[in-house]
Amino acid sequence: MTRTPVTYAFDAPLWLWEARQGEGWTFVSLPEEVADEVLELAAPVARGFGSVRVEVTVGATTWHTSLFPSKDAGTYVLPVKKAVRRAEGLEVGRSASIELRLRDV
């Protein structure tokens, strides 16, 4: 039996984490409807701090990371590392087209 990957596609603006502004930690917030479904599907396989392992594609760049629940944002947040931002010409405040796949569901 083969599982069909659980994938999502959405656009979201990049934002800088205020607590680490000087370090350039950059994230996107998942749309509420996506976050609700991720929570429902991934709760049984969530890892430390409620993180969920994902594969992400932005443009021609694909990488593995985790989503993290954020009480402040009221959703999951997705870190976007500097190498991806450079490779894809992404800037804080601008939207990125995100494709993500849940890895453990």
Side-chain angles (χ1 to χ4, degrees), residues 5-27:
V6 178
T7 60
Y8 302 94
F10 58 90
D11 291 343
L14 280 79
W15 53 271
L16 197 58
W17 187 21
E18 287 187 23
R20 300 278 183 120
Q21 281 186 353
E23 297 173 28
W25 290 54
T26 305
F27 296 84

Side-chain angles (χ1 to χ4, degrees), residues 7-102:
T7 60
Y8 302 94
F10 58 90
D11 291 343
L14 280 79
W15 53 271
L16 197 58
W17 187 21
E18 287 187 23
R20 300 278 183 120
Q21 281 186 353
E23 297 173 28
W25 290 54
T26 305
F27 296 84
V28 297
S29 298
L30 271 65
E32 186 176 326
E33 62 277 2
V34 173
D36 289 347
E37 192 170 321
V38 168
L39 177 61
E40 183 178 319
L41 293 171
V45 296
R47 301 167 78 81
F49 303 104
S51 65
V52 177
R53 294 180 343 140
V54 294
E55 179 180 275
V56 183
T57 301
V58 175
T61 306
T62 299
W63 76 102
H64 289 159
T65 188
S66 293
L67 302 174
F68 298 92
S70 170
K71 288 182 183 177
D72 292 341
T75 187
Y76 283 96
V77 296
L78 168 70
V80 181
K81 57 188 179 179
K82 184 186 280 186
V84 173
R85 296 192 316 269
R86 280 189 189 150
E88 299 301 329
L90 302 175
E91 296 179 21
V92 170
R94 297 213 174 170
S95 280
S97 293
I98 309 289
E99 293 180 27
L100 73 89
R101 180 181 64 84
L102 302 181

